[in-house]
Amino acid sequence: MRRREPEDRRVQLLQAALAALAETGIEQFTMAEVARRAKVSPALIVHYFGDRDTLIEATFRQLVERVTTRPMDALSTGGDPEDRLRAFVLAHLNPGELSSEASRAWLSFWGLALYNPALARLQRVHQERMISNLKHELRALVVADAVTRIAETIAALIDGFWLRAALAGAWKPDVQIPVDWIFAVIERDLADSRLPEAGAKPVAVSFDTINPATGEVLATIRIDGQAEIDNAVARAVEAQKHWARVPGVERGRILFRAAQLLVARNEELARLETCDTGKPIQETIAVDVLSGADCIEYYAGLARTIAGEHIDLGDAAFGYTRREPLGVVGGIGAWNYPLQIACWKSAPALACGNAMIFKPAELTPLTAIELEKVYREAGLPDGLFQVVQGKGDTGRLLSRHPGIAKMSLTGEVGTGKKVMIDAAGTLKHVTLELGGKSALIVFEDADIDEAVSGALLANFYSAGEVCTNGTRVFVHASVRDDFLARLKHRTEAMVLGDPLNPATQMGALISREHMDKVLGYIASGQQQGARLLTGGKRATHLAGNFVEPTIFVDCQDDMAIVREEIFGPVMTVLDFTNEDEVIARANATDFGLAAGIFTRDLARAHRTIARLDAGTCWINTYNITPIELPFGGNKQSGLGRENGLAAIEHYTQLKSVYVAMEPIDAPY
């Protein structure tokens, strides 16, 4: 008993020191205050610990041991690795240890560790031990590339809860520690990276890209994982440092050469795009490649104009702003306009001095590879534009990567929400161009032939696989019959066939799965009472994923074919009689990407456009997107804008500089 007394006394003193630290903080912490709390003489404190720094270090050691005892016990309880992992995390978040005293002292120690080498070593050892234990359990659960990332994520979440406990004065007894949230994050990461079960199909390391019109395998593409993404980011970081210092005029010259090379290779690249997407060659040779070149040429010209502004603050000072690049940015493309989208994202990014890592959609991976070659041939330094390949997991590696400052996605609403969630972890900038269910309104005074042309472009161009498509066609009741007669005649005259035949006007849908989805919507429309005016079937005389251009009439606003994005050659026609009514119905959707109207009344045209809740609108035409105009949507159709001068704002950040011109008038 006597031999234990000094150790008991030492523990008593450390408990008093812990209480003092929790209440007063590091700055007010003294050995005299510890002696007062322990009801001993200050000399005894000196006897045991020597000086203040040693006492602080000993107190930290005791707290670390106390905090880690339960988690270490949890790892020895048996069970499978996932159970042990859960028990380990729960033990770290034990309400008894997340007391006000412990959490506040913990916060004090962590702050002081920034300046005290001894405490920094203790903190580092504690962190390394926690991560090492997490890795040990994770190695039995997830693929090797994901072990370190998930372990560090869990450790950061645990530390974050301790910080929150300190700032909130500990978790109250009647408040549940939000472990459900932390485990939702852990389970998501485990699900994304879990090892295959015994006998399960191995994790894919490559995928095939298929010609949608023939079923032919065009290429086998290797999937990029964590290591490849990390390497790409590291290369991009180094390249961007130098690129940011290159004058805008020189950046513009390189981009201009890239635009010229795209134009020179138009026919070759259009053919490749047709084979990969199923779109007719008459579209890809006229739009897909050349619109990408147009975009690059536009930002080549803007590169030398990117600048801040001067602000006159009187005789005493002036200010100015600098518009600077973000750094390394990530882009994720969609499968409907693969090359164009890659250009829309990369051109402004590069013009502004950034590097871009771009992942094309796995269904259409080929032309982005060629764009990377074009940029290099034009003189773009290595690492500034890199293409990585894969499916959703590869895209997620980009949106979560701490070395990437911004994500730009073109895709589905659900994918956009996931990118936002992942990007929030590192507060990335985000630009999202998502889906739509856009309205096209034909007023009674419209030129009917022009309106029919607009409706055809708004529904059947690219086999309806266009996000802005005006698939809800509202036609004034007084011209409905005339409109439908002309629409049916011209639709049934369309040429559906081999996409490489220059006479083909509509090609194949992107995949068998997507074709089945479109056919499912057609069946749903018929079941819900809409009437087929024309089409409605798979084109069985063709070998690939072909669906006839389809028009539904007698539609109601609550039908699935009217409310939901189909992304195929399916038009719904609805009647209206009143301007206010049709605007309200057009706006009654979660989407807000695009809208169009046909009318000869100039006042009505501008009045209606002003009331439509959509980011991209047309009057007496549809689906024309010149690069000079910003492009994007409202509501769940996206965030931010692409193209035009607006894109410069999304790929740069502003720095404000105040310049004093007179001596400081200090009152001290």
Side-chain angles (χ1 to χ4, degrees), residues 573-625:
V573 181
L574 305 101
D575 303 347
F576 77 95
T577 57
N578 176 273
E579 180 180 313
D580 290 336
E581 164 218 342
V582 75
I583 292 171
R585 291 167 65 193
N587 287 336
T589 172
D590 291 335
F591 298 107
L593 183 54
I597 64 170
F598 280 83
T599 179
R600 288 187 174 97
D601 185 331
L602 185 62
R604 169 188 274 165
H606 295 296
R607 180 175 67 239
T608 303
I609 287 293
R611 296 175 63 190
L612 289 172
D613 192 358
T616 304
C617 296
W618 295 277
I619 298 174
N620 293 331
T621 190
Y622 208 90
N623 268 348
I624 306 299
T625 54

Short mmCIF file of all heavy atoms in Angstrom, two decimals, residues 573-625:
data_model
loop_
_atom_site.label_atom_id
_atom_site.label_comp_id
_atom_site.label_asym_id
_atom_site.label_seq_id
_atom_site.Cartn_x
_atom_site.Cartn_y
_atom_site.Cartn_z
N VAL A 573 -47.20 16.16 -76.13
CA VAL A 573 -47.88 17.39 -76.56
C VAL A 573 -49.08 17.64 -75.64
O VAL A 573 -49.88 16.73 -75.40
CB VAL A 573 -48.35 17.27 -78.02
CG1 VAL A 573 -49.04 18.56 -78.46
CG2 VAL A 573 -47.15 16.97 -78.94
N LEU A 574 -49.15 18.87 -75.15
CA LEU A 574 -50.22 19.26 -74.23
C LEU A 574 -50.92 20.51 -74.77
O LEU A 574 -50.28 21.35 -75.42
CB LEU A 574 -49.66 19.54 -72.83
CG LEU A 574 -48.84 18.40 -72.20
CD1 LEU A 574 -47.35 18.67 -72.32
CD2 LEU A 574 -49.21 18.20 -70.73
N ASP A 575 -52.21 20.64 -74.47
CA ASP A 575 -52.98 21.80 -74.92
C ASP A 575 -52.97 22.89 -73.86
O ASP A 575 -52.80 22.64 -72.66
CB ASP A 575 -54.45 21.41 -75.17
CG ASP A 575 -54.58 20.27 -76.17
OD1 ASP A 575 -53.59 19.96 -76.84
OD2 ASP A 575 -55.69 19.71 -76.25
N PHE A 576 -53.16 24.15 -74.32
CA PHE A 576 -53.41 25.24 -73.38
C PHE A 576 -54.23 26.31 -74.09
O PHE A 576 -54.32 26.33 -75.34
CB PHE A 576 -52.10 25.83 -72.85
CG PHE A 576 -51.38 26.74 -73.81
CD1 PHE A 576 -51.56 28.13 -73.78
CD2 PHE A 576 -50.53 26.22 -74.79
CE1 PHE A 576 -50.90 28.96 -74.68
CE2 PHE A 576 -49.87 27.05 -75.69
CZ PHE A 576 -50.05 28.42 -75.63
N THR A 577 -54.84 27.20 -73.32
CA THR A 577 -55.65 28.28 -73.90
C THR A 577 -55.29 29.65 -73.36
O THR A 577 -55.71 30.66 -73.93
CB THR A 577 -57.14 28.03 -73.62
OG1 THR A 577 -57.34 27.92 -72.21
CG2 THR A 577 -57.62 26.75 -74.31
N ASN A 578 -54.52 29.70 -72.25
CA ASN A 578 -54.29 30.96 -71.56
C ASN A 578 -52.81 31.14 -71.25
O ASN A 578 -52.13 30.20 -70.83
CB ASN A 578 -55.13 30.96 -70.27
CG ASN A 578 -54.89 32.20 -69.42
OD1 ASN A 578 -53.98 32.21 -68.61
ND2 ASN A 578 -55.72 33.22 -69.63
N GLU A 579 -52.30 32.35 -71.46
CA GLU A 579 -50.88 32.62 -71.25
C GLU A 579 -50.45 32.37 -69.81
O GLU A 579 -49.43 31.71 -69.55
CB GLU A 579 -50.56 34.05 -71.66
CG GLU A 579 -49.09 34.44 -71.49
CD GLU A 579 -48.82 35.88 -71.89
OE1 GLU A 579 -49.29 36.30 -72.97
OE2 GLU A 579 -48.13 36.58 -71.12
N ASP A 580 -51.20 32.90 -68.84
CA ASP A 580 -50.85 32.70 -67.44
C ASP A 580 -50.87 31.22 -67.07
O ASP A 580 -50.00 30.74 -66.33
CB ASP A 580 -51.81 33.48 -66.53
CG ASP A 580 -51.63 34.98 -66.62
OD1 ASP A 580 -50.51 35.42 -67.00
OD2 ASP A 580 -52.58 35.71 -66.32
N GLU A 581 -51.84 30.52 -67.60
CA GLU A 581 -51.98 29.09 -67.31
C GLU A 581 -50.77 28.32 -67.82
O GLU A 581 -50.18 27.49 -67.10
CB GLU A 581 -53.26 28.56 -67.98
CG GLU A 581 -53.33 27.04 -68.10
CD GLU A 581 -53.97 26.57 -69.40
OE1 GLU A 581 -54.66 27.37 -70.06
OE2 GLU A 581 -53.75 25.40 -69.76
N VAL A 582 -50.35 28.57 -69.05
CA VAL A 582 -49.27 27.77 -69.61
C VAL A 582 -47.94 28.10 -68.94
O VAL A 582 -47.09 27.21 -68.77
CB VAL A 582 -49.19 27.97 -71.14
CG1 VAL A 582 -48.59 29.31 -71.53
CG2 VAL A 582 -48.37 26.82 -71.77
N ILE A 583 -47.74 29.35 -68.53
CA ILE A 583 -46.50 29.69 -67.82
C ILE A 583 -46.45 28.97 -66.48
O ILE A 583 -45.41 28.41 -66.09
CB ILE A 583 -46.39 31.21 -67.64
CG1 ILE A 583 -46.17 31.88 -69.01
CG2 ILE A 583 -45.26 31.57 -66.69
CD1 ILE A 583 -46.25 33.39 -68.99
N ALA A 584 -47.58 28.95 -65.76
CA ALA A 584 -47.63 28.25 -64.48
C ALA A 584 -47.35 26.76 -64.66
O ALA A 584 -46.59 26.15 -63.88
CB ALA A 584 -48.98 28.46 -63.81
N ARG A 585 -47.92 26.16 -65.69
CA ARG A 585 -47.70 24.73 -65.93
C ARG A 585 -46.27 24.45 -66.38
O ARG A 585 -45.66 23.45 -65.99
CB ARG A 585 -48.70 24.23 -66.98
CG ARG A 585 -50.14 24.20 -66.47
CD ARG A 585 -51.12 23.99 -67.62
NE ARG A 585 -50.96 22.69 -68.24
CZ ARG A 585 -51.52 22.36 -69.41
NH1 ARG A 585 -52.26 23.27 -70.10
NH2 ARG A 585 -51.36 21.15 -69.91
N ALA A 586 -45.73 25.34 -67.19
CA ALA A 586 -44.34 25.16 -67.64
C ALA A 586 -43.38 25.21 -66.46
O ALA A 586 -42.38 24.48 -66.42
CB ALA A 586 -43.99 26.24 -68.66
N ASN A 587 -43.67 26.06 -65.47
CA ASN A 587 -42.79 26.22 -64.31
C ASN A 587 -43.03 25.16 -63.24
O ASN A 587 -42.26 25.07 -62.28
CB ASN A 587 -42.98 27.61 -63.69
CG ASN A 587 -42.35 28.70 -64.53
OD1 ASN A 587 -41.43 28.46 -65.32
ND2 ASN A 587 -42.85 29.93 -64.38
N ALA A 588 -44.07 24.36 -63.36
CA ALA A 588 -44.44 23.39 -62.33
C ALA A 588 -43.59 22.13 -62.45
O ALA A 588 -44.09 21.04 -62.76
CB ALA A 588 -45.93 23.07 -62.41
N THR A 589 -42.30 22.27 -62.23
CA THR A 589 -41.36 21.16 -62.33
C THR A 589 -40.17 21.45 -61.44
O THR A 589 -39.86 22.62 -61.16
CB THR A 589 -40.89 20.96 -63.79
OG1 THR A 589 -39.84 19.99 -63.83
CG2 THR A 589 -40.37 22.26 -64.38
N ASP A 590 -39.49 20.39 -60.99
CA ASP A 590 -38.28 20.58 -60.19
C ASP A 590 -37.10 21.00 -61.04
O ASP A 590 -36.07 21.42 -60.52
CB ASP A 590 -37.92 19.27 -59.47
CG ASP A 590 -38.92 18.92 -58.37
OD1 ASP A 590 -39.56 19.83 -57.85
OD2 ASP A 590 -39.05 17.71 -58.05
N PHE A 591 -37.24 20.85 -62.37
CA PHE A 591 -36.16 21.23 -63.28
C PHE A 591 -36.30 22.69 -63.70
O PHE A 591 -37.36 23.28 -63.59
CB PHE A 591 -36.17 20.35 -64.52
CG PHE A 591 -35.93 18.89 -64.25
CD1 PHE A 591 -36.96 17.96 -64.33
CD2 PHE A 591 -34.67 18.43 -63.91
CE1 PHE A 591 -36.75 16.62 -64.08
CE2 PHE A 591 -34.45 17.08 -63.65
CZ PHE A 591 -35.49 16.18 -63.74
N GLY A 592 -35.22 23.24 -64.22
CA GLY A 592 -35.25 24.60 -64.73
C GLY A 592 -34.10 24.84 -65.69
O GLY A 592 -33.44 25.88 -65.62
N LEU A 593 -33.86 23.89 -66.57
CA LEU A 593 -32.71 24.02 -67.46
C LEU A 593 -33.00 24.93 -68.64
O LEU A 593 -32.26 25.87 -68.91
CB LEU A 593 -32.26 22.64 -67.95
CG LEU A 593 -31.01 22.64 -68.85
CD1 LEU A 593 -29.85 23.34 -68.19
CD2 LEU A 593 -30.62 21.21 -69.22
N ALA A 594 -34.08 24.66 -69.38
CA ALA A 594 -34.29 25.39 -70.63
C ALA A 594 -35.78 25.60 -70.87
O ALA A 594 -36.63 25.01 -70.20
CB ALA A 594 -33.67 24.63 -71.80
N ALA A 595 -36.08 26.45 -71.85
CA ALA A 595 -37.46 26.70 -72.28
C ALA A 595 -37.41 27.41 -73.62
O ALA A 595 -36.42 28.07 -73.96
CB ALA A 595 -38.22 27.54 -71.25
N GLY A 596 -38.49 27.28 -74.38
CA GLY A 596 -38.57 27.97 -75.65
C GLY A 596 -39.99 28.37 -75.96
O GLY A 596 -40.95 27.74 -75.47
N ILE A 597 -40.16 29.43 -76.72
CA ILE A 597 -41.50 29.87 -77.13
C ILE A 597 -41.48 30.24 -78.61
O ILE A 597 -40.45 30.67 -79.15
CB ILE A 597 -42.01 31.07 -76.30
CG1 ILE A 597 -41.14 32.30 -76.52
CG2 ILE A 597 -42.07 30.72 -74.83
CD1 ILE A 597 -41.73 33.55 -75.92
N PHE A 598 -42.64 30.04 -79.25
CA PHE A 598 -42.83 30.47 -80.64
C PHE A 598 -44.02 31.41 -80.68
O PHE A 598 -45.14 31.05 -80.27
CB PHE A 598 -43.06 29.25 -81.54
CG PHE A 598 -41.79 28.55 -81.91
CD1 PHE A 598 -41.21 27.63 -81.05
CD2 PHE A 598 -41.14 28.83 -83.10
CE1 PHE A 598 -40.03 26.98 -81.37
CE2 PHE A 598 -39.95 28.20 -83.43
CZ PHE A 598 -39.39 27.27 -82.57
N THR A 599 -43.76 32.63 -81.12
CA THR A 599 -44.81 33.64 -81.24
C THR A 599 -44.29 34.75 -82.15
O THR A 599 -43.08 34.97 -82.25
CB THR A 599 -45.19 34.22 -79.87
OG1 THR A 599 -46.19 35.23 -80.04
CG2 THR A 599 -43.99 34.86 -79.17
N ARG A 600 -45.23 35.45 -82.83
CA ARG A 600 -44.86 36.62 -83.62
C ARG A 600 -44.99 37.91 -82.82
O ARG A 600 -44.60 38.98 -83.28
CB ARG A 600 -45.76 36.72 -84.87
CG ARG A 600 -45.48 35.65 -85.94
CD ARG A 600 -46.31 35.96 -87.18
NE ARG A 600 -46.01 35.08 -88.31
CZ ARG A 600 -46.70 34.00 -88.61
NH1 ARG A 600 -47.75 33.65 -87.86
NH2 ARG A 600 -46.38 33.25 -89.66
N ASP A 601 -45.56 37.81 -81.60
CA ASP A 601 -45.82 38.98 -80.77
C ASP A 601 -44.56 39.27 -79.95
O ASP A 601 -44.23 38.55 -79.01
CB ASP A 601 -47.01 38.68 -79.85
CG ASP A 601 -47.44 39.88 -79.02
OD1 ASP A 601 -46.59 40.72 -78.71
OD2 ASP A 601 -48.63 39.94 -78.65
N LEU A 602 -43.87 40.36 -80.29
CA LEU A 602 -42.61 40.69 -79.65
C LEU A 602 -42.78 40.94 -78.15
O LEU A 602 -41.98 40.46 -77.33
CB LEU A 602 -41.99 41.92 -80.32
CG LEU A 602 -40.59 42.34 -79.85
CD1 LEU A 602 -39.60 41.22 -80.14
CD2 LEU A 602 -40.16 43.63 -80.54
N ALA A 603 -43.82 41.66 -77.77
CA ALA A 603 -44.04 41.96 -76.36
C ALA A 603 -44.32 40.66 -75.59
O ALA A 603 -43.80 40.45 -74.49
CB ALA A 603 -45.20 42.93 -76.20
N ARG A 604 -45.17 39.81 -76.17
CA ARG A 604 -45.47 38.53 -75.49
C ARG A 604 -44.21 37.68 -75.35
O ARG A 604 -44.01 37.03 -74.32
CB ARG A 604 -46.53 37.76 -76.27
CG ARG A 604 -46.70 36.32 -75.79
CD ARG A 604 -47.60 35.54 -76.71
NE ARG A 604 -49.00 35.73 -76.36
CZ ARG A 604 -50.02 35.40 -77.15
NH1 ARG A 604 -49.78 34.92 -78.36
NH2 ARG A 604 -51.26 35.56 -76.75
N ALA A 605 -43.37 37.69 -76.37
CA ALA A 605 -42.16 36.86 -76.33
C ALA A 605 -41.30 37.22 -75.13
O ALA A 605 -40.92 36.35 -74.33
CB ALA A 605 -41.36 37.05 -77.62
N HIS A 606 -41.01 38.51 -74.95
CA HIS A 606 -40.13 38.92 -73.86
C HIS A 606 -40.83 38.81 -72.51
O HIS A 606 -40.21 38.50 -71.49
CB HIS A 606 -39.61 40.32 -74.11
CG HIS A 606 -38.73 40.40 -75.33
ND1 HIS A 606 -37.53 39.74 -75.43
CD2 HIS A 606 -38.90 41.05 -76.50
CE1 HIS A 606 -36.98 39.98 -76.60
NE2 HIS A 606 -37.81 40.77 -77.29
N ARG A 607 -42.14 39.08 -72.50
CA ARG A 607 -42.91 38.97 -71.26
C ARG A 607 -42.91 37.53 -70.76
O ARG A 607 -42.72 37.24 -69.57
CB ARG A 607 -44.33 39.47 -71.51
CG ARG A 607 -45.25 39.39 -70.29
CD ARG A 607 -46.60 40.02 -70.62
NE ARG A 607 -47.36 39.25 -71.60
CZ ARG A 607 -47.77 39.72 -72.78
NH1 ARG A 607 -47.46 40.97 -73.14
NH2 ARG A 607 -48.46 38.97 -73.61
N THR A 608 -43.12 36.59 -71.67
CA THR A 608 -43.18 35.17 -71.28
C THR A 608 -41.82 34.65 -70.85
O THR A 608 -41.70 33.96 -69.83
CB THR A 608 -43.70 34.33 -72.45
OG1 THR A 608 -44.99 34.84 -72.85
CG2 THR A 608 -43.84 32.87 -72.06
N ILE A 609 -40.80 34.99 -71.62
CA ILE A 609 -39.44 34.53 -71.27
C ILE A 609 -39.06 35.01 -69.87
O ILE A 609 -38.45 34.26 -69.08
CB ILE A 609 -38.42 35.02 -72.30
CG1 ILE A 609 -38.56 34.24 -73.62
CG2 ILE A 609 -37.00 34.93 -71.77
CD1 ILE A 609 -38.18 32.77 -73.53
N ALA A 610 -39.43 36.23 -69.53
CA ALA A 610 -39.09 36.78 -68.22
C ALA A 610 -39.75 36.00 -67.09
O ALA A 610 -39.22 35.95 -65.97
CB ALA A 610 -39.50 38.25 -68.14
N ARG A 611 -40.87 35.37 -67.37
CA ARG A 611 -41.61 34.65 -66.32
C ARG A 611 -41.28 33.16 -66.27
O ARG A 611 -41.68 32.47 -65.32
CB ARG A 611 -43.11 34.85 -66.53
CG ARG A 611 -43.56 36.30 -66.39
CD ARG A 611 -45.04 36.45 -66.74
NE ARG A 611 -45.89 35.68 -65.82
CZ ARG A 611 -47.20 35.48 -66.00
NH1 ARG A 611 -47.78 35.97 -67.10
NH2 ARG A 611 -47.90 34.79 -65.13
N LEU A 612 -40.57 32.65 -67.25
CA LEU A 612 -40.22 31.23 -67.24
C LEU A 612 -38.99 30.99 -66.37
O LEU A 612 -37.98 31.68 -66.50
CB LEU A 612 -39.95 30.74 -68.67
CG LEU A 612 -41.18 30.65 -69.58
CD1 LEU A 612 -40.76 30.36 -71.01
CD2 LEU A 612 -42.15 29.59 -69.08
N ASP A 613 -39.09 30.02 -65.47
CA ASP A 613 -38.01 29.72 -64.53
C ASP A 613 -37.04 28.72 -65.16
O ASP A 613 -37.07 27.52 -64.86
CB ASP A 613 -38.60 29.17 -63.23
CG ASP A 613 -37.57 29.13 -62.10
OD1 ASP A 613 -36.41 29.50 -62.36
OD2 ASP A 613 -37.94 28.74 -60.98
N ALA A 614 -36.22 29.22 -66.05
CA ALA A 614 -35.26 28.36 -66.76
C ALA A 614 -34.01 29.18 -67.06
O ALA A 614 -34.09 30.39 -67.31
CB ALA A 614 -35.87 27.83 -68.05
N GLY A 615 -32.86 28.51 -67.06
CA GLY A 615 -31.60 29.24 -67.22
C GLY A 615 -31.21 29.52 -68.66
O GLY A 615 -30.45 30.44 -68.92
N THR A 616 -31.72 28.74 -69.61
CA THR A 616 -31.36 28.89 -71.01
C THR A 616 -32.65 28.89 -71.84
O THR A 616 -33.39 27.91 -71.81
CB THR A 616 -30.44 27.75 -71.47
OG1 THR A 616 -29.29 27.70 -70.62
CG2 THR A 616 -30.01 27.93 -72.91
N CYS A 617 -32.92 29.98 -72.54
CA CYS A 617 -34.21 30.12 -73.23
C CYS A 617 -34.02 30.54 -74.68
O CYS A 617 -33.03 31.16 -75.05
CB CYS A 617 -35.08 31.16 -72.50
SG CYS A 617 -35.53 30.70 -70.82
N TRP A 618 -35.04 30.20 -75.50
CA TRP A 618 -35.02 30.55 -76.92
C TRP A 618 -36.36 31.16 -77.33
O TRP A 618 -37.42 30.76 -76.81
CB TRP A 618 -34.77 29.31 -77.77
CG TRP A 618 -33.42 28.70 -77.56
CD1 TRP A 618 -32.25 29.07 -78.14
CD2 TRP A 618 -33.10 27.58 -76.71
NE1 TRP A 618 -31.22 28.27 -77.72
CE2 TRP A 618 -31.71 27.34 -76.84
CE3 TRP A 618 -33.86 26.77 -75.85
CZ2 TRP A 618 -31.07 26.33 -76.14
CZ3 TRP A 618 -33.21 25.76 -75.16
CH2 TRP A 618 -31.83 25.55 -75.31
N ILE A 619 -36.29 32.08 -78.25
CA ILE A 619 -37.50 32.66 -78.87
C ILE A 619 -37.45 32.33 -80.36
O ILE A 619 -36.49 32.69 -81.06
CB ILE A 619 -37.57 34.18 -78.66
CG1 ILE A 619 -37.65 34.51 -77.16
CG2 ILE A 619 -38.76 34.78 -79.39
CD1 ILE A 619 -37.56 36.00 -76.85
N ASN A 620 -38.46 31.60 -80.83
CA ASN A 620 -38.61 31.23 -82.24
C ASN A 620 -37.45 30.39 -82.78
O ASN A 620 -37.10 30.45 -83.97
CB ASN A 620 -38.82 32.48 -83.11
CG ASN A 620 -40.15 33.14 -82.81
OD1 ASN A 620 -41.11 32.48 -82.41
ND2 ASN A 620 -40.22 34.45 -82.97
N THR A 621 -36.85 29.59 -81.91
CA THR A 621 -35.88 28.55 -82.29
C THR A 621 -35.70 27.65 -81.09
O THR A 621 -36.37 27.83 -80.06
CB THR A 621 -34.54 29.17 -82.74
OG1 THR A 621 -33.72 28.14 -83.31
CG2 THR A 621 -33.82 29.82 -81.60
N TYR A 622 -34.81 26.65 -81.20
CA TYR A 622 -34.57 25.79 -80.04
C TYR A 622 -33.22 25.08 -80.18
O TYR A 622 -32.77 24.76 -81.28
CB TYR A 622 -35.68 24.73 -79.88
CG TYR A 622 -35.84 24.31 -78.43
CD1 TYR A 622 -36.72 24.97 -77.59
CD2 TYR A 622 -35.07 23.28 -77.90
CE1 TYR A 622 -36.84 24.62 -76.25
CE2 TYR A 622 -35.17 22.92 -76.56
CZ TYR A 622 -36.06 23.60 -75.74
OH TYR A 622 -36.17 23.26 -74.41
N ASN A 623 -32.58 24.86 -79.02
CA ASN A 623 -31.34 24.10 -78.90
C ASN A 623 -30.16 24.70 -79.65
O ASN A 623 -29.26 23.97 -80.08
CB ASN A 623 -31.54 22.63 -79.33
CG ASN A 623 -31.93 21.75 -78.15
OD1 ASN A 623 -31.82 22.15 -77.00
ND2 ASN A 623 -32.38 20.54 -78.44
N ILE A 624 -30.15 26.02 -79.79
CA ILE A 624 -28.98 26.70 -80.34
C ILE A 624 -28.18 27.24 -79.16
O ILE A 624 -28.70 28.00 -78.34
CB ILE A 624 -29.38 27.85 -81.27
CG1 ILE A 624 -30.33 27.33 -82.36
CG2 ILE A 624 -28.14 28.49 -81.88
CD1 ILE A 624 -29.75 26.26 -83.25
N THR A 625 -26.91 26.85 -79.04
CA THR A 625 -26.11 27.25 -77.86
C THR A 625 -24.78 27.87 -78.29
O THR A 625 -23.73 27.22 -78.19
CB THR A 625 -25.86 26.04 -76.94
OG1 THR A 625 -25.27 24.99 -77.73
CG2 THR A 625 -27.16 25.54 -76.33
#
